[in-house]
Amino acid sequence: MTSKVGKDRVVKFEYVLALDSGDVVDSSEGREPLTYLHGHGNIIPGLERQMEGMEVGEEREIVVEPEEAYGPYIEGQDILVPASEFPPNMKPEVGMGIMVETTDGRQIPYFITEITDDGMVRLDPNHPLAGQRLHFKVKVVDVREATEEEKAHGHVHEGGHHHH
Ligand code: ZN
């Protein structure tokens, strides 16, 4: 009864993630499969929705539109900051995510998209995969019932990622 992906079940799956271009941007190959608690918004909505009902051992190709992934790319939000303003122990690199404090004191994640020849760092609040249609190849390798504690917390308790 517990062999299908569904709400309040802990799902372990292997995946390959590619873009429309065919470029692979992420994969579980050579690593542990990804483990998550289904039905609690722990993975992107379009993937969670389309994995519903999959059985252990089943493979599926799943296409997720940006609206159900990392959202649309919103232009004109990027800012340029001199690299010299970064803390001395932090070397800016393209792809790195950093928290930026807004004028009203909130912390917002930005991603470094460019480092110019004249030492400026371009920061963009769009997720690096915003605006992208995602092509997943997934294979479910294990499904089990979540414990009461996992259901209450809304996430999985294994693999050393737990920090309550
Ligand atoms: Zn917990």
Side-chain angles (χ1 to χ4, degrees):
M1 281 302 286
T2 63
S3 65
K4 278 189 180 177
V5 174
K7 184 159 170 61
D8 292 336
R9 288 179 183 162
V10 173
V11 180
K12 191 176 283 195
F13 71 105
E14 297 170 350
Y15 68 96
V16 176
L17 168 57
L19 305 180
D20 282 349
S21 61
D23 288 346
V24 172
V25 291
D26 195 12
S27 164
S28 63
E29 234 166 76
R31 292 191 273 143
E32 280 292 298
L34 197 66
T35 303
Y36 76 100
L37 177 60
H38 191 87
H40 292 260
N42 291 323
I43 60 173
I44 59 169
L47 183 59
E48 184 166 63
R49 182 173 61 75
Q50 295 183 73
M51 283 178 65
E52 181 91 32
M54 284 183 73
E55 295 184 34
V56 172
E58 186 179 347
E59 294 180 55
R60 200 176 275 185
E61 296 197 11
I62 292 175
V63 178
V64 182
E65 299 295 328
E67 291 70 26
E68 277 196 303
Y70 294 100
Y73 183 88
I74 300 166
E75 302 272 355
Q77 301 188 97
D78 54 321
I79 53 175
L80 276 170
V81 177
S84 56
E85 284 188 16
F86 281 76
N89 60 350
M90 185 186 167
K91 189 182 178 304
E93 281 174 33
V94 171
M96 189 184 274
I98 61 165
M99 299 303 286
V100 172
E101 193 172 325
T102 62
T103 47
D104 57 356
R106 288 174 305 139
Q107 297 273 335
I108 292 184
Y110 275 68
F111 297 90
I112 297 174
T113 56
E114 185 189 7
I115 297 168
T116 67
D117 291 339
D118 54 350
M120 298 296 280
V121 178
R122 189 179 302 280
L123 296 169
D124 194 322
N126 287 292
H127 187 278
L129 293 175
Q132 297 281 358
R133 181 182 297 119
L134 306 181
H135 300 257
F136 287 94
K137 264 185 206 150
V138 301
K139 182 181 182 183
V140 174
V141 294
D142 190 49
V143 176
R144 67 167 171 83
E145 290 292 343
T147 65
E148 289 305 318
E149 193 185 48
E150 285 172 326
K151 285 186 222 173
H153 285 193
H155 56 231
V156 172
H157 289 177
E158 61 180 55
H161 295 296
H162 191 240
H163 42 114
H164 286 276

